[in-house]
């Protein structure tokens, strides 16, 4: 189970490296496919559950929505130098 979780995390990170900005509607199907390929998708194949998990993963990786629009692009906030 731990190996599957680590592999899933590596794949999700790989999906987010493809672009600096990610649209959840494009990310979610690839997220689900990646987990299914590893056999770690869990017992709930519900599309809504998968979408919620995908958005949670984007947030866990530090990405944030860039606007309040539906299906807004997500990106990592710019780092600021307080000096």
């Amino acid at each position: 189970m731990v190996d599957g979780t680590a592999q899933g995390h590596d794949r999700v990170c790989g999906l987010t490296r493809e672009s600096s900005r990610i649209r959840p509607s494009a990310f979610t199907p690839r997220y689900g496919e990646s987990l299914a390929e590893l056999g770690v998708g869990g017992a709930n194949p519900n599309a809504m559950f998968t979408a919620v998990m995908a958005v949670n993963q984007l947030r866990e990786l530090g990405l944030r929505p860039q606007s309040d629009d539906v299906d807004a692009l997500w990106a990592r906030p710019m780092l600021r130098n307080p000096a």
Side-chain angles (χ1 to χ4, degrees):
M1 188 164 124
V2 173
D3 288 339
T5 301
Q7 290 173 349
H9 180 75
D10 289 345
R11 286 197 181 196
V12 170
C13 288
L15 293 174
T16 62
R17 279 189 218 110
E18 295 172 3
S19 175
S20 62
R21 296 169 20 141
I22 301 197
R23 191 166 306 280
S25 63
F27 175 79
T28 299
R30 296 183 326 204
Y31 171 78
E33 291 165 5
S34 291
L35 295 182
E37 288 170 6
L38 291 173
V40 295
N44 190 350
N46 180 297
M48 179 63 77
F49 181 80
T50 302
V52 169
M53 292 299 295
V55 169
N56 284 341
Q57 283 293 310
L58 292 175
R59 198 165 283 284
E60 287 288 326
L61 293 171
L63 284 84
R64 300 292 182 262
Q66 300 300 292
S67 74
D68 291 332
D69 295 339
V70 172
D71 201 30
L73 288 169
W74 286 50
R76 286 181 179 83
M78 296 297 292
L79 297 176
R80 294 190 180 132
N81 184 348

